[in-house]
């Protein structure tokens, strides 16, 4: 009687393709801490597990049922099952872990010494290893690698850290200055020569950090180094000049968070690479144009990185509408990307329709305003 119930077995509804992957060599893993909604993760996909009720009772019969047999031994029954819903990677925990263990160079990172002392203490006292991230972060292995690259994370002594933003920008700025000084072509930068000179001139710029920073400015991500810190002499990098232009804009806005629109674009043109068409769309999710309060005033460019906004959808939207009353869809959309993982059953458009109001501005454009 103890076995004939719902506690012994849990049912999971999957299609044939996913079943084949789960039973294959790569398998799948169910991830989630006590406060999380459980996720099933394959190497490249994330599914949220939602408990569902069945109108029929499912009976579990050991072995194979003989089609000619009129009776069967039932070992258990269940009227509930888990259905899988595709989800974006759930990366809030990863962002928090990387930010908590941000790296600011070998001389500034007192936390690294603490990590060495606390490495066996468990919990979040030490920066996470790859194995710990794979076990805790609710996403597939390939999705985790992509996220670490997008978040400019670097692996130091086997543990993953985010890069403190000022330190990362200092590395990238010094790198771009060296490229200009040596007149290296933007589409064929000699990586080994660049990093050798960079790390020689700046003691706190390490090869692994510099390599990751360079990769973030490239049109295509640089390959992982095997072994670590061993840069092939023939390796070259092709800079993405648009990314370089955005980097310079971020530097301007970090130093002065609020600009007169005309003065900002004038200054941006002096530092951006020649040939890049500068327009505010390049800075969506980084900065926003705030209209003037009066007819005699000018519009303002405001530093507004998505990473510094509230992590709950309603709080995020309330915060954005405090910055300005009307938002065009294209400028609002990037600010929702990192909180969409909470909105499993809704598209971005559905979230906006539910939490904001659509109207038209005086130019006849569709905009979103706060729902009150």
């Amino acid at each position: 009687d103890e076995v004939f119930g719902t506690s012994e077995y849990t049912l999971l509804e999957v299609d044939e393709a996913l079943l084949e992957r789960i039973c294959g060599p790569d398998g799948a893993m169910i991830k989630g801490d006590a406060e999380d909604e459980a996720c099933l993760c394959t190497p490249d996909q994330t599914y949220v597990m939602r408990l569902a009720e069945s109108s029929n009772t499912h009976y579990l019969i050991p072995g194979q049922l003989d089609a000619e047999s009129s009776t069967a031994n039932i070992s258990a029954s269940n009227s509930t099952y888990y259905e899988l819903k595709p989800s974006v990677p759930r990366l809030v925990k990863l962002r928090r872990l990387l930010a908590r263990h941000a790296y600011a160079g070998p001389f500034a990172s007192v936390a690294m010494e603490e990590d060495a002392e606390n490495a066996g203490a468990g919990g979040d006292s030490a920066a996470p290893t790859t194995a710990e991230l794979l076990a805790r972060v609710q996403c597939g292995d390939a999705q985790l690698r992509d996220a670490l690259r997008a978040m400019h994370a670097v692996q130091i002594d086997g543990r993953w850290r985010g890069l403190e933003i000022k330190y990362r920008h200092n590395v990238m700025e010094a790198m771009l200055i060296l490229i200009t000084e040596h007149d290296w072509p933007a589409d064929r930068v000699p990586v080994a020569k660049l990093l050798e000179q960079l790390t020689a001139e700046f003691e706190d710029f390490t090869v692994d950090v510099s390599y990751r920073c360079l990769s973030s400015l490239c049109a295509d991500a640089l390959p992982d180094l095997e072994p670590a810190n061993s840069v092939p002499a023939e390796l070259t990098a092709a800079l993405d000049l648009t990314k370089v232009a955005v980097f310079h804009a971020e530097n301007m806005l970090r130093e002065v968070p609020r600009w007169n629109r005309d003065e900002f674009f004038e200054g941006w043109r002096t530092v951006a690479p020649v040939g890049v068409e500068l327009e505010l769309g390049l800075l969506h999710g980084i900065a926003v144009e705030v209209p003037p309060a009066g007819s005699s005033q000018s519009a303002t460019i405001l530093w507004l990185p998505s990473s510094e906004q509230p992590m709950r959808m309603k709080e995020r939207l309330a915060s954005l509408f405090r910055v300005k009353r009307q938002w065009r869809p294209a400028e609002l959309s990037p600010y929702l990307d990192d909180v969409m993982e909470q909105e499993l059953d809704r598209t971005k458009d559905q979230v906006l329709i539910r939490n904001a109001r659509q109207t038209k501005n005086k130019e006849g454009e569709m905009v979103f305003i706060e729902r009150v």
Side-chain angles (χ1 to χ4, degrees):
D1 290 343
E2 293 179 359
V3 175
F4 194 83
T6 59
S7 60
E8 186 72 13
Y9 299 97
T10 297
L11 302 182
L12 186 65
E13 183 181 58
V14 297
D15 59 31
E16 289 291 338
L18 181 55
L19 178 61
E20 187 174 338
R21 297 201 66 187
I22 292 174
C23 297
D26 294 330
M29 181 183 292
I30 295 176
K31 302 182 184 182
D33 292 335
E35 70 277 10
D36 298 325
E37 193 171 26
C39 289
L40 182 139
C41 302
T42 67
D44 58 2
Q45 185 61 58
T46 303
Y47 301 88
V48 170
M49 300 173 60
R50 289 279 174 86
L51 190 63
E53 292 280 348
S54 174
S55 57
N56 299 313
T57 300
H58 300 279
Y59 295 103
L60 276 68
I61 300 172
Q64 293 185 340
L65 181 63
D66 187 348
E68 298 180 357
S69 176
S70 59
T71 61
N73 293 322
I74 299 173
S75 60
S77 68
N78 207 318
S79 59
T80 62
Y81 64 96
Y82 281 95
E83 57 183 4
L84 301 179
K85 294 185 174 290
S87 171
V88 297
R90 301 202 157 194
L91 303 175
V92 171
K93 192 172 299 179
L94 177 62
R95 292 188 188 94
R96 288 173 179 165
L97 286 169
L98 295 177
R100 185 175 299 142
H101 301 287
Y103 181 70
F107 306 125
S109 262
V110 178
M112 290 192 71
E113 298 177 5
E114 296 175 351
D115 279 353
E117 298 173 0
N118 298 327
D124 290 340
S125 58
T129 63
T130 301
E132 289 167 345
L133 290 178
L134 288 171
R136 293 193 61 189
V137 180
Q138 293 177 294
C139 66
D141 299 10
Q143 293 174 321
L144 177 62
R145 288 194 298 271
D146 291 343
L148 288 169
R149 185 177 292 112
M151 296 179 189
H152 312 294
V154 63
Q155 194 174 27
I156 300 172
D157 296 330
R159 296 183 176 274
W160 286 98
R161 297 174 177 276
L163 290 178
E164 191 271 329
I165 188 168
K166 185 176 180 180
Y167 174 68
R168 178 168 65 87
H169 277 237
N170 287 343
V171 174
M172 294 163 76
E173 188 168 22
M175 194 177 293
L176 291 171
I177 290 172
L178 280 176
I179 292 171
T180 302
E181 288 178 350
H182 288 277
D183 201 23
W184 286 323
D187 61 344
R188 293 190 310 280
V189 176
V191 177
K193 288 182 180 179
L194 171 62
L195 298 191
E196 180 182 7
Q197 186 158 342
L198 185 72
T199 53
E201 290 190 19
F202 301 92
E203 288 184 296
D204 58 338
F205 293 175
T206 61
V207 171
D208 46 3
V209 169
S210 302
Y211 188 82
R212 181 53 64 97
C213 289
L214 175 60
S215 182
S216 70
L217 289 174
C218 290
D220 297 307
L222 295 175
D224 292 336
L225 295 180
E226 295 293 344
N229 298 342
S230 177
V231 182
E234 69 281 2
L235 182 63
T236 62
L239 296 182
D240 184 325
L241 296 185
T242 299
K243 290 182 179 180
V244 175
V246 171
F247 163 75
H248 286 303
E250 286 188 89
N251 262 354
M252 291 174 59
L253 288 160
R254 276 197 318 107
E255 293 173 6
V256 181
R258 186 182 292 270
W259 287 75
N260 171 282
R261 187 185 192 282
D262 294 337
E263 292 175 357
F264 172 77
F265 274 95
E266 183 180 346
W268 192 13
R269 287 189 193 95
T270 65
V271 293
V274 176
V276 178
E277 186 175 347
L278 303 182
E279 48 98 11
L280 200 57
L282 298 179
L283 304 182
H284 282 168
I286 298 172
V288 66
E289 180 178 350
V290 180
S295 58
S296 62
Q297 296 176 308
S298 300
T300 299
I301 303 298
L302 179 68
W303 172 237
L304 194 71
S306 177
S307 59
E308 297 182 9
Q309 304 310 305
M311 287 308 300
R312 295 187 180 277
M313 182 63 74
K314 287 188 176 181
E315 295 172 5
R316 170 74 60 95
L317 288 170
S319 175
L320 294 175
F321 284 121
R322 282 195 294 271
V323 172
K324 66 174 189 172
R325 181 174 176 271
Q326 298 180 352
W327 288 77
R328 296 181 182 89
E331 61 182 356
L332 182 58
S333 178
Y335 286 100
L336 307 185
D337 289 339
D338 56 349
V339 287
M340 277 304 297
E341 62 188 61
Q342 306 165 19
E343 305 293 335
L344 180 64
D345 299 319
R346 300 185 184 91
T347 65
K348 196 178 292 185
D349 287 342
Q350 290 171 331
V351 169
L352 286 173
I353 290 172
R354 177 172 179 167
N355 294 282
R357 285 181 53 215
Q358 277 186 315
T359 186
K360 288 188 177 182
N361 61 16
K362 60 184 180 181
E363 289 82 22
E365 300 172 306
M366 185 64 68
V367 293
F368 286 99
I369 62 174
E370 187 172 18
R371 182 180 290 278
V372 293

